[in-house]
Amino acid sequence: MRLVHLDLKGAAPKVSFLEQVFPLLSKLGANGILVEYEDMFPFKGELETLKSPYKIQQLAALNKLEVVPLAQTFGHVEFILKHDKYRYLREVERFPNSLNPHVPDTLSLLKSILSQVMDKHRHSSWIHIGADEVFHLGEGMDSKNWISRSSGDVGKMYLNHIKEVVNFIVNQYKGLQVLMWDDMLRKIRFFCPAESGIATHASPVLWFYAPDFDTEQIGKFISKYADSGFKSVWFASAFKGTTGPAQGWTPLNYHLKNHLSWLKVIQAMSKFPFIKFQGIALTGWQRYDHYSVLCELLPVGIPSLAICLQTLVNGEGLAARACKAGWCQQA
């Protein structure tokens, strides 16, 4: 799978623009989109506080693009916790970015959000639960008390919450596969899949956005996840939005090199026979978080997206020709 990340948490494009872009994505080699809705999802009922109408399902189907919804379930939930109604669910009262996993209402809220999201994505094979950058986890008083009582640590606390989320999804939606960013998993020193129970139903999405990242380090993470019982793994590159929180233009060479590095990793997957590579998401961040300024917007990043997608489809030979033609010269 080659998913193009559509980040709606900043300057979300109009449907009229997506009508032009989606056919292009399909022609360039994408077969799906990873849609990060945040408060652009048309929530209803008790969640109407978070609501904003937005429709892309039919447009994606017309262009043979599978829609993979992304619903944050732990960190990056400022769009929820900024509201006074949900303030009591914060891990640390001062910061609206991470949920307190010890309050029963946290899981109830997430079940409601996930149910509404999946009701609008009945034909999706995957759901992405985010789960990255859970800042300040373990710093709240409830977490400190839990660690003291259970002789646990932040890693176990993290896995316990993710286990509850994953179990709800797989029990409620048979056959649905779960994706999650892997950065929090990297930090867990002793990872026991039998204890956490998530490896059977979830796949880590390894994200690295630097142009020349350490591919051997990626191999160590893949081995760790294979040893932990995960059956499959995804990768995440970046075609824009990772070179500065207020970036105005997209450095093509930077993002091209990132994809060339990922090609090396993909080509080396035969070294890991016990875990399957399922796909890659080309991320295109509109802003770093809910409160950040905008970085370069989607229209500016289209040339980079085209080069990066075609590099994944046709290999580094195409990339070399693009650079020779002057496409990759930095401004």
Side-chain angles (χ1 to χ4, degrees):
M1 294 293 294
R2 289 181 292 270
L3 307 180
V4 173
H5 176 229
L6 191 62
D7 184 9
L8 304 185
K9 68 175 177 285
K14 294 182 177 180
V15 173
S16 58
F17 179 75
L18 296 181
E19 287 175 345
Q20 302 174 62
V21 171
F22 277 18
L24 177 63
L25 299 185
S26 185
K27 290 178 182 178
L28 289 171
N31 49 22
I33 52 172
L34 177 64
V35 187
E36 185 160 357
Y37 287 103
E38 270 214 8
D39 53 359
M40 294 302 292
F41 187 84
F43 291 108
K44 58 185 179 180
E46 287 293 313
L47 300 177
E48 274 198 281
T49 306
L50 317 177
K51 176 182 177 180
S52 181
Y54 206 82
K55 296 180 181 180
I56 59 174
Q57 291 282 309
Q58 185 178 9
L59 184 58
L62 286 173
N63 292 281
K64 299 180 180 179
L65 297 169
E66 172 144 5
V67 177
V68 178
L70 191 158
Q72 291 286 0
T73 57
F74 214 165
H76 286 295
V77 285
E78 295 92 343
F79 76 103
I80 298 173
L81 299 182
K82 70 180 182 181
H83 298 285
D84 289 338
K85 180 179 180 179
Y86 299 111
R87 192 182 188 96
Y88 74 105
L89 298 180
R90 298 179 179 185
E91 167 71 1
V92 176
E93 205 279 336
R94 283 182 59 201
F95 304 111
N97 48 17
S98 300
L99 287 162
N100 181 342
H102 309 288
V103 179
D105 286 354
T106 291
L107 191 59
S108 298
L109 172 66
L110 292 176
K111 287 179 178 180
S112 180
I113 289 174
L114 291 167
S115 295
Q116 290 198 29
V117 169
M118 286 315 304
D119 283 347
K120 294 290 187 182
H121 297 83
R122 296 179 183 272
H123 300 295
S124 293
S125 301
W126 294 275
I127 183 172
H128 198 310
I129 62 170
D132 61 316
E133 298 182 333
V134 189
F135 300 130
H136 308 294
L137 183 62
E139 296 178 16
M141 189 54 64
D142 288 343
S143 289
K144 290 179 179 178
N145 290 337
W146 181 88
I147 291 173
S148 177
R149 289 194 311 269
S150 64
S151 299
D153 57 22
V154 172
K156 186 174 182 180
M157 185 191 308
Y158 173 83
L159 290 175
N160 284 346
H161 177 74
I162 297 302
K163 177 183 177 180
E164 294 289 341
V165 172
V166 171
N167 283 347
F168 168 74
I169 292 171
V170 299
N171 290 329
Q172 196 78 8
Y173 305 97
K174 301 299 181 183
L176 187 65
Q177 299 177 65
V178 179
L179 306 179
M180 58 184 292
W181 302 121
D182 84 306
D183 54 284
M184 296 296 291
L185 296 177
R186 297 176 207 167
K187 304 173 185 177
I188 299 175
R189 187 174 180 184
F190 300 107
F191 181 61
C192 180
E195 190 174 320
S196 69
I198 67 172
T200 304
H201 305 289
S203 298
V205 183
L206 284 77
W207 59 271
F208 282 85
Y209 303 146
D212 298 303
F213 58 77
D214 186 349
T215 55
E216 290 188 10
Q217 183 62 54
I218 299 290
K220 292 177 182 178
F221 288 133
I222 296 172
S223 294
K224 174 183 178 178
Y225 298 147
D227 293 341
S228 300
F230 285 105
K231 306 302 180 186
S232 60
V233 66
W234 286 62
F235 303 142
S237 59
F239 71 89
K240 80 170 193 71
T242 60
T243 54
Q247 182 71 282
W249 56 277
T250 306
L252 300 183
N253 197 45
Y254 183 99
H255 294 289
L256 171 60
K257 287 182 177 179
N258 174 250
H259 286 78
L260 290 174
S261 293
W262 275 117
L263 273 180
K264 293 178 182 178
V265 176
I266 294 170
Q267 291 163 359
M269 279 303 295
S270 59
K271 297 179 182 178
F272 310 98
F274 301 109
I275 192 166
K276 178 184 177 182
F277 166 59
Q278 280 196 313
I280 184 168
L282 294 82
T283 63
W285 302 100
Q286 296 280 81
R287 64 170 93 228
Y288 282 19
D289 62 51
H290 188 76
Y291 288 118
S292 290
V293 297
L294 294 168
C295 43
E296 77 267 37
L297 303 184
L298 181 57
V300 178
I302 293 297
S304 175
L305 175 58
I307 289 175
C308 294
L309 255 178
Q310 282 287 284
T311 296
L312 292 176
V313 173
N314 296 301
E316 54 188 309
L318 176 85
R321 292 195 298 274
C323 286
K324 188 175 181 180
W327 273 76
C328 304
Q329 296 302 312
Q330 305 223 12

